């Protein structure tokens, strides 16, 4: 599914955080970014809210997960040193 059909199918639910959003906040995200060889095919598209799409930027999902783990570990270390 693509475009408005995918938005309607998912009922404006962000696939990253499973929250319902205003239709104006929804975007199509490339799972593998165009800058990293991704295509604009159905299998490489995901419906996300603007916040999640901008947070992911041009990272792949694996890179995003690794980045999140890194941020969490820094946060946990800062809590231990307080």
């Amino acid at each position: 599914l693509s475009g408005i059909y995918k938005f309607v199918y998912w009922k404006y639910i962000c696939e990253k955080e499973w929250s319902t959003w205003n239709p104006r906040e929804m975007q199509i995200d490339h799972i593998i970014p165009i800058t990293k060889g991704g295509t604009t095919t159905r299998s490489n598209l995901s419906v996300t809210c603007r916040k999640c799409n901008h947070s992911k930027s041009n990272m792949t999902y694996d890179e995003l997960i690794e980045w999140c783990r890194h941020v969490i570990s820094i946060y946990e270390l800062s809590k231990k040193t307080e």
Side-chain angles (χ1 to χ4, degrees):
L1 301 172
S2 64
I4 193 67
Y5 301 108
K6 192 163 184 179
F7 287 137
V8 171
Y9 177 78
W10 281 105
K11 299 180 183 174
Y12 306 104
I13 295 174
C14 176
E15 292 182 42
K16 308 273 186 312
E17 58 185 36
W18 295 103
S19 298
T20 304
W21 287 84
N22 178 316
R24 293 182 181 167
E25 291 294 314
M26 301 306 292
Q27 298 181 345
I28 297 289
D29 175 43
H30 291 86
I31 297 167
I32 299 172
I34 297 289
T35 58
K36 296 191 176 179
T39 60
T40 305
T41 58
R42 291 179 190 173
S43 61
N44 192 45
L45 299 177
S46 172
V47 176
T48 62
C49 66
R50 184 177 308 182
K51 179 186 76 164
C52 286
N53 194 19
H54 286 231
S55 295
K56 180 178 168 275
S57 186
N58 73 331
M59 292 184 271
T60 64
Y61 285 119
D62 290 339
E63 291 169 335
L64 179 63
I65 290 168
E66 189 59 36
W67 180 82
C68 289
R69 286 181 181 149
H70 177 71
V71 170
I72 290 168
S73 67
I74 290 171
Y75 173 77
E76 288 173 346
L77 282 173
S78 71
K79 286 297 191 185
K80 289 179 181 178
T81 59
E82 288 182 355

